[in-house]
Amino acid sequence: MAITIREAAQAIERRLLRQSSARERALLRAYLDTGAATSAGLHHTVGVDELALELHPRDRAVLTEKAAELISRGQRAAAVVSLFDGRRVTLVSRPMRSGSGVEGVAIEAVLPGPAPREPLAVPTQVDVPPGSSGRLAVVTAVPPPRFVPAAAAPGRLPVATSSRHLPDVAHGPFGTVGRVDVADDHPDAPSRTRGLVMVGEPRVGTYALAARRRLELLSEASARIGTTLDVRRTAQELAETAVPRLADFVTIDLPEAVLRGEESADPRTDLHRTVVHGISDDLPFSPVGKQVDFGPTTPQIRCLTSGQAVLEPDLKAAAGWLAQDPEHTERLLTEVHSLIAVPLVARGVILGIASFYRAQDPAPFGDDDRSLGLELASRAALSIDNARRYTRERTMVLTLQRSLLPHDLPDQDAVEIAHRYLPAESDVGGDWYDVIPLSGTRIGLFVGDVVGHGMLSAATMGQLRTAARSFAELDFPPDEVLTHLDNLVGRLDREEPAAGAGVIGATCLYAVYDPTSQQCTMARAGHPPPALVRPDGTVSFPDLPAGPPLGLGGLPFESAEIHLPEGSRLLLYTDGLIEDRHRDVDVVLDQLRGALAHPEQTPEQTCQTVLETVAPAHPCDDIALLVARTHALDPRRIAAWDLPADPARVSEVRAAALRQLADWGLDETAFAAELMLSELVTNAIRHGAGPIRVRLLHGRTLICEVSDASNTAPHLRRAASTDEGGRGLFLVAQLAQSWGTRYLPEGKVIWAECGLDAA
């Protein structure tokens, strides 16, 4: 794009130069004749475009543009330009008239500073035909001439010697470029070098300069507008690009539906002020966020109706504009005087209106300004439409993602929970968390991250979370849960190879906390380890076996067990919290330690502190955060008995359990608990292996557990009317809210849970 803009600008300049080169040659001859008169009859010159030899290409471009600007002013002036190497060049404009009556301006460059004294070579004289390239051409003999005056006797103007004829010239941008050298001869004057930079006519320079600036503005708009996929930000970029180079104030009005990512049914009745930008903030434009109702005769509605830009060079004469809002319009017209209203249309969809106002420049907008405003608005409309479409898709994915996350956390006494989900700014991923009550008052904590972004990642996350909950509720230990999830992800990847989304992968961390023993068992699959905050405020990151990410298959997972004193906080998070290409992970982990080193904070406060101090300001990946503060079950609410595999001991256990229930004040639950306990103990003695352990847990519910050393699983069946046995587990299932089996490293536990008001 930059190359195309430069070539277009040079083509315009060449066409202008073909018309004016002869006139500029006359101006150059008049300039040299004037210099000769002031130089005691000497008008010797050296070199062709000395600046091309002495200056950095960037400096030459800056000097050329500034010289063209001075020519376009058409009056005596001076400007100081800072060069790339730190030197400062003064450009001086000198109005002049040729012998044929052509009025123009000569631009001289004055470079202060000492100059070495060395002989100058005489360059080869070359005539440059009119219409030649606008590049600064140099043709010299060797060695090339320098910007250095020759030595002079006192009282004489020092000049370099050369042949006496018209100097070499090159047709550069906006004028003819030449070179002469003069220096002050005053003994006390600082050494200075003076060279001719350009001569030209003001009107030609004005047209060419305006054309270049318009092309530069369009080039800048291509790079500046649409840097994000945010509708409001894209509209703001349009306004910032147009001010002050095209307009002094810009307002942009978009329908509320477009801001949500939808198409507006009737944008003329649903416009909201989205952007107000200008050279000052004290004008009475409608504030951002307010609904704007334009009258039927206003330029804005007329541009929406016609689909074309509407130019109002004199707002005071625009009757429809005055009738729009008399109170505010009166004050506004004391500042602004000209308006261009442009519709924002992309792919046949009307997105809104951009209004350009002029205030400081006394000249009103013209047709060229209208064309430029329409071009800017057209480019911005495409970017706004892309952002609108992206907003709609992102909203859909975010809605799906949030619907698949848990809405209400379960009631339980093992931990106090707080959670956060923060979607990425660019796209929504597949981060998730879950809290699952388990048997024996235990609690399962999940946090995971599906690779990728978009709809597929969110849908895969939903499948993975549902499967993880199912495996956890089967009371599998953490390492086995991850093994099952690994198999599931691998199967999903094999079943959907045609989706074109690449390999499905995920990371996961699963922790199970037991408040009766205050032990936490954790396993992870390629996921960052959790942060552990002990009651004294000490922060650590447990060294858990890493495990491979889910979906690789064939590699084992390992679990680790950690003791968590009551009041400890466990922080589970996804990698979006700590991994960012602009930050070092170790530095972020130190920030996380500092944010967590406050034992007095609640889980909710911890979540907020972490997001405010650790999370990136503009996250490029989703962040899921789960904070759990542990509680311990009161030992007085736990009762346990060990007994041999002897049926005669069943009655003793029933009696002891009834006494314990009476002590807990659970007389209404005693009948159901006694019957369930009797059946479970009898089954353990008959079908299991000793030793046998009975445990009662008094929490939100009453839990009866019977463990033995056998791995044989009980099966519920419905006994026929003629069967003499086989009804034990059926009765337990009828009396209990839930029941099940979980396996230990050696043996199993059969448990049954009933409400505290069971009869």
Side-chain angles (χ1 to χ4, degrees), residues 51 71 150 183 239 285 315 357 384 393 414 456 538 622 625 661 690 724:
L51 296 176
I71 288 178
F285 291 107
L315 281 178
Y357 297 89
I384 291 175
E393 181 179 347
L456 179 61
T538 303
D622 291 16
L625 195 62
L661 293 176
E724 295 183 359

Side-chain angles (χ1 to χ4, degrees), residues 265-289:
D266 187 1
R268 293 175 296 182
T269 60
D270 187 31
L271 290 172
H272 287 72
R273 182 58 46 87
T274 306
V275 173
V276 176
H277 183 69
I279 58 177
S280 64
D281 300 328
D282 56 351
L283 291 189
F285 291 107
S286 298
V288 173

Side-chain angles (χ1 to χ4, degrees), residues 648-713:
R649 303 292 297 274
V650 176
S651 60
E652 297 178 9
V653 173
R654 284 204 308 262
L658 288 174
R659 289 193 297 270
Q660 184 63 63
L661 293 176
D663 292 342
W664 286 341
L666 302 178
D667 296 328
E668 295 182 357
T669 313
F671 175 76
E674 180 185 9
L675 185 54
M676 289 189 301
L677 195 60
S678 178
E679 292 294 337
L680 295 178
V681 172
T682 301
N683 280 344
I685 293 174
R686 283 178 141 186
H687 307 291
I692 297 172
R693 182 176 178 81
V694 177
R695 189 170 72 158
L696 296 179
L697 303 177
H698 179 201
R700 291 177 177 267
T701 59
L702 179 66
I703 301 173
C704 303
E705 295 182 344
V706 177
S707 60
D708 64 84
S710 173
N711 288 325
T712 303

Side-chain angles (χ1 to χ4, degrees), residues 741-759:
T741 304
R742 71 173 182 269
Y743 291 91
L744 305 175
E746 296 181 359
K748 65 179 181 299
V749 176
I750 304 175
W751 58 271
E753 181 178 348
C754 63
L756 299 182
D757 56 350

Side-chain angles (χ1 to χ4, degrees), residues 239-584:
E240 292 173 352
T241 302
V243 175
R245 299 173 66 175
L246 173 62
D248 296 317
F249 297 93
V250 175
T251 63
I252 299 178
D253 307 309
L254 301 177
E256 186 67 26
V258 172
L259 298 175
R260 296 194 304 265
E262 305 169 2
E263 292 186 10
S264 177
D266 187 1
R268 293 175 296 182
T269 60
D270 187 31
L271 290 172
H272 287 72
R273 182 58 46 87
T274 306
V275 173
V276 176
H277 183 69
I279 58 177
S280 64
D281 300 328
D282 56 351
L283 291 189
F285 291 107
S286 298
V288 173
K290 182 179 179 181
Q291 184 170 356
V292 182
D293 296 321
F294 292 108
T297 59
T298 57
Q300 285 81 359
I301 295 299
R302 283 190 283 131
C303 82
L304 283 182
T305 303
S306 64
Q308 299 295 324
V310 173
L311 170 63
E312 288 288 354
D314 185 5
L315 281 178
K316 294 183 179 179
W321 170 260
L322 292 173
Q324 169 67 23
D325 188 354
E327 178 183 357
H328 293 90
T329 303
E330 277 295 323
R331 181 184 166 195
L332 191 62
L333 289 180
T334 61
E335 300 288 342
V336 300
H337 58 78
S338 187
L339 164 68
I340 300 175
V342 185
L344 298 173
V345 182
R347 303 180 180 96
V349 178
I350 297 178
L351 303 174
I353 304 171
S355 301
F356 303 92
Y357 297 89
R358 179 164 288 179
Q360 288 190 339
D361 191 343
F365 284 125
D367 291 335
D368 290 343
D369 298 312
R370 175 169 53 187
S371 300
L372 180 59
L374 183 59
E375 180 67 23
L376 287 177
S378 299
R379 299 189 181 199
L382 287 174
S383 298
I384 291 175
D385 191 50
N386 291 336
R388 177 188 67 83
R389 291 166 178 257
Y390 166 77
T391 300
R392 178 179 59 187
E393 181 179 347
R394 184 176 185 274
T395 301
M396 293 172 57
V397 176
L398 185 58
T399 301
L400 174 63
Q401 168 82 354
R402 293 192 182 278
S403 68
L404 295 175
L405 291 174
H407 299 283
D408 298 317
L409 297 182
D411 295 331
Q412 42 78 39
D413 295 325
V415 292
E416 181 183 351
I417 293 290
H419 57 89
R420 293 289 190 278
Y421 170 72
L422 184 65
E425 282 193 350
S426 58
D427 206 351
V428 179
D431 291 19
W432 58 282
Y433 59 87
D434 208 349
V435 179
I436 306 171
L438 303 175
S439 63
T441 68
R442 298 173 305 139
I443 195 73
L445 305 174
F446 270 109
V447 66
D449 183 5
V450 176
V451 175
H453 298 84
M455 191 72 73
L456 179 61
S457 295
T460 304
M461 179 274 291
Q463 293 176 292
L464 196 60
R465 175 177 172 252
T466 301
R469 172 175 283 271
S470 299
F471 296 142
E473 290 178 343
L474 291 174
D475 270 326
F476 292 138
D479 54 336
E480 291 188 26
V481 170
L482 295 184
T483 300
H484 288 296
L485 291 177
D486 181 56
N487 295 333
L488 171 65
V489 173
R491 186 165 61 251
L492 290 175
D493 194 43
R494 291 190 300 270
E495 290 175 353
E496 301 180 5
V503 177
I504 298 175
T507 65
C508 184
L509 171 64
Y510 180 37
V512 176
Y513 173 69
D514 188 348
T516 63
S517 62
Q518 301 178 39
Q519 294 294 116
C520 184
T521 306
M522 292 181 280
R524 64 189 181 112
H527 202 83
L532 174 60
V533 187
R534 298 192 178 273
D536 60 356
T538 303
V539 181
S540 63
F541 297 91
D543 187 15
L544 304 180
L550 300 176
L552 295 183
L555 299 176
F557 298 95
E558 299 179 26
S559 59
E561 194 170 86
I562 301 175
H563 180 74
L564 300 183
E566 184 175 10
S568 300
R569 282 176 296 159
L570 195 64
L571 177 72
L572 283 67
Y573 54 89
T574 55
D575 58 1
L577 177 67
I578 62 172
E579 294 183 5
D580 185 79
R581 58 178 174 267
H582 303 297
R583 304 187 301 171
D584 184 80

